């Protein structure tokens, strides 16, 4: 099997510990890390030790004249757009970390630039290829839960943060940083409908040291689709799920690692004719309207997460697309819709910049 040469821009948590971990794993049979770009010298030295044979560079512009099949842009969020555009204009295939851009204009500009230069633009949206997302989508598609009325997505916790990802000028905050995961899941469940609408949103600051939000509530809707309730906040000490599905035949609750769901077949229960008067027991006493439903229940653990299976799935897909086989699982056009939601939420909840 032919291996493709890859360059990684950035050796922070994402570039080193997410992408780098994949490239060093047994799952990677597709790529050879040829270059690592990092402006801090000590991180370049670490990269040389963990990616034997790679060449380290200080500036991404040094890649322009290098022969490389794919560039992974794991730079700071506010650098994603300008660096990716520069690389695309110089004929490089790019896999860019989330968020793809600050707004839809930037996303569409990158899509157009990739097309004009005959190269591939891919987005690292590894939650949508993670087992917990794929599993939930399949159960919904198979009709296990009947007509799904509401999906709740929670990426909550209880913690303080005081790094660069708390700053608006760095494209920080819960919605840009964590938001692409739950909003991406929401759009997956809504089939990336062109008519998705932000019904309600609220942003706030709770425990953050910066000027960007660490509390977000977003409700999405689309015609003839479930309502999706999204939460991303730092003041929830009791969060026990990432996805909750409610439908006419049952429902599901899952984390990124485990799931449980229950469902029934209404064919086992004859229709109940409407009674306008109160229900009564055998002694003619009023009783609550209630019946016993025997659900079938299942639970289990997922074989992996977004950081192993989800990541490996994206990289295998990008490998095949570069070789002319198939299409991207995660479409930049769909991710542009995601960023459009983020743009709308921020526009509706303006927050003053403090730094």
């Amino acid at each position: 099997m032919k291996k493709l040469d890859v360059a990684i821009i950035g050796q922070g948590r994402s570039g080193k510990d997410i992408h780098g971990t994949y490239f060093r794993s047994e799952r990677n049979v597709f790529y050879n890390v040829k270059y690592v770009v990092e402006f801090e010298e000590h991180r370049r030295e670490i990269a040389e030790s963990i990616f034997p044979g790679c060449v380290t560079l200080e500036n991404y512009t040094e890649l322009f004249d290098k022969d490389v099949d794919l560039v992974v842009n794991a730079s700071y969020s506010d650098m994603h757009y300008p660096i990716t555009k520069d690389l695309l204009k110089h004929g490089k295939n790019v896999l860019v970390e989330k968020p793809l851009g600050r707004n839809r204009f930037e996303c569409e500009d990158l899509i157009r630039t990739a097309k004009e230069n005959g190269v591939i633009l891919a987005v690292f949206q590894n939650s949508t290829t993670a087992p917990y997302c794929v599993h939930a989508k399949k159960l919904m598609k198979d009709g296990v839960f009947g007509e799904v009325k509401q999906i709740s997505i929670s990426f909550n916790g209880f913690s303080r943060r005081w790094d660069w990802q708390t700053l608006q000028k760095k494209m920080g905050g819960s919605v840009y940083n964590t938001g692409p995961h739950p909003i991406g899941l929401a759009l997956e469940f809504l089939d990336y409908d062109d008519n998705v609408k932000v019904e309600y949103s609220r942003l706030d600051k709770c425990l953050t040291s910066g000027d960007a939000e660490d509390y977000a509530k977003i409700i999405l809707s689309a015609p003839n689709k479930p309502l999706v309730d999204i939460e991303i906040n730092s003041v929830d000490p009791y969060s026990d799920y990432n996805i909750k599905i409610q439908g006419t035949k049952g429902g599901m609750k899952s984390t990124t690692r485990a799931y449980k769901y229950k469902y029934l077949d209404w064919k086992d229960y004859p229709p109940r004719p409407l009674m306008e008067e109160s229900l009564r027991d055998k002694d003619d006493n009023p009783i609550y309207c209630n019946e016993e439903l025997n659900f079938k229940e299942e639970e289990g653990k997922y074989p992996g997460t977004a950081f192993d299976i989800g990541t490996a799935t994206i990289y295998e897909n990008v490998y095949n697309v570069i070789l002319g086989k198939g299409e991207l699982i995660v479409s930049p056009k769909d991710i542009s819709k995601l960023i459009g939601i983020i743009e709308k939420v921020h526009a509706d909840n303006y927050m003053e910049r403090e730094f």
Side-chain angles (χ1 to χ4, degrees):
M1 177 181 290
K2 176 187 176 183
K3 282 194 172 185
L4 300 181
D5 289 328
V6 65
I8 309 172
I9 298 176
Q11 284 296 282
R13 187 183 67 85
S14 179
K16 177 176 175 289
D17 297 336
I18 299 177
H19 299 275
T21 296
Y22 163 76
F23 287 124
R24 297 192 304 272
S25 74
E26 294 181 355
R27 296 180 186 274
N28 174 28
V29 296
F30 305 104
Y31 301 92
N32 169 57
V33 177
K34 190 173 182 179
Y35 301 102
V36 173
V37 180
E38 170 56 53
F39 66 88
E40 292 189 15
E41 183 177 2
H42 77 281
R43 289 186 176 182
R44 292 199 299 273
E45 293 172 354
I46 294 173
E48 289 170 358
S49 68
I50 63 177
F51 301 114
C54 81
V55 176
T56 56
L57 308 170
E58 188 174 355
N59 194 299
Y60 78 91
T61 59
E62 297 176 70
L63 291 173
F64 292 165
D65 62 353
K66 301 291 190 294
D67 184 16
V68 64
D69 298 298
L70 177 68
V71 180
V72 178
N73 184 359
S75 60
Y76 290 106
S77 296
D78 59 318
M79 297 179 179
H80 289 177
Y81 168 69
I83 290 178
T84 298
K85 183 169 182 177
D86 223 357
L87 291 165
L88 295 172
K89 289 172 66 177
H90 283 83
K92 306 301 182 186
N93 299 316
V94 181
L95 173 65
V96 57
E97 256 288 355
K98 53 81 184 169
L100 175 58
R102 186 179 293 274
N103 48 49
R104 287 205 75 170
F105 170 82
E106 291 188 353
C107 296
E108 295 298 326
D109 188 39
L110 292 178
I111 292 169
R112 181 172 54 254
T113 303
K115 184 176 180 179
E116 289 173 350
N117 289 275
V119 290
I120 294 165
L121 169 65
V123 187
F124 188 69
Q125 195 75 26
N126 60 335
S127 282
T128 58
T129 55
Y132 74 105
C133 175
V134 175
H135 184 228
K137 283 179 62 180
K138 184 179 187 306
L139 292 174
M140 288 174 57
K141 183 178 180 180
D142 291 346
V144 173
F145 309 126
E147 183 181 357
V148 175
K149 294 296 186 179
Q150 179 173 319
I151 302 171
S152 301
I153 303 174
S154 168
F155 274 55
N156 292 354
F158 195 98
S159 63
R160 295 186 295 179
R161 194 162 188 171
W162 54 93
D163 61 351
W164 67 270
Q165 290 194 356
T166 68
L167 296 170
Q168 290 190 53
K169 67 182 180 182
K170 289 284 192 177
M171 280 179 69
S174 296
V175 179
Y176 273 126
N177 178 28
T178 304
H181 295 300
I183 297 172
L185 294 175
L187 292 179
E188 284 283 326
F189 296 143
L190 295 174
D191 301 319
Y192 287 95
D193 194 301
D194 288 334
N195 298 303
V196 169
K197 179 182 178 183
V198 178
E199 293 284 357
Y200 172 84
S201 67
R202 180 178 177 181
L203 303 181
D204 203 351
K205 293 188 294 182
C206 303
L207 304 177
T208 178
S209 296
D211 60 352
E213 79 285 343
D214 61 348
Y215 174 96
K217 178 79 166 183
I218 305 168
I219 298 177
L220 304 180
S221 71
N224 303 311
K225 299 281 174 57
L227 191 75
V228 184
D229 186 335
I230 301 168
E231 288 189 1
I232 319 160
N233 81 62
S234 63
V235 288
D236 183 0
Y238 291 109
S239 180
D240 64 349
Y241 71 88
N242 293 109
I243 298 174
K244 186 166 72 172
I245 298 172
Q246 302 170 57
T248 57
K249 291 173 61 177
M252 174 185 192
K253 184 167 75 169
S254 80
T255 64
T256 61
R257 297 182 177 274
Y259 65 89
K260 62 173 80 173
Y261 63 92
K262 57 174 65 176
Y263 59 98
L264 52 78
D265 190 339
W266 284 114
K267 293 178 182 177
D268 298 333
Y269 301 88
R272 294 283 191 173
L274 177 64
M275 298 179 63
E276 294 191 19
E277 66 275 10
S278 298
L279 299 180
R280 298 176 182 274
D281 63 15
K282 59 186 177 65
D283 297 321
D284 204 35
N285 295 309
I287 59 173
Y288 184 75
C289 185
N290 191 27
E291 65 179 332
E292 183 176 340
L293 299 174
N294 297 313
F295 287 95
K296 296 177 182 178
E297 299 188 47
E298 299 189 29
E299 61 180 81
K301 294 183 177 180
Y302 292 117
T305 68
F307 297 108
D308 41 50
I309 291 178
T311 296
T313 300
I314 285 183
Y315 270 110
E316 181 175 0
N317 174 239
V318 171
Y319 175 88
N320 287 325
V321 172
I322 290 174
L323 294 184
K325 304 173 185 177
E327 298 180 351
L328 290 170
I329 297 174
V330 181
S331 161
K333 279 287 186 183
D334 288 339
I335 301 306
S336 180
K337 296 177 184 178
L338 186 162
I339 297 299
I341 290 172
I342 292 177
E343 183 180 7
K344 167 71 172 170
V345 168
H346 279 121
D348 289 347
N349 297 271
Y350 176 75
M351 302 174 75
E352 290 282 352
R353 288 196 179 189
E354 300 174 27
F355 303 98

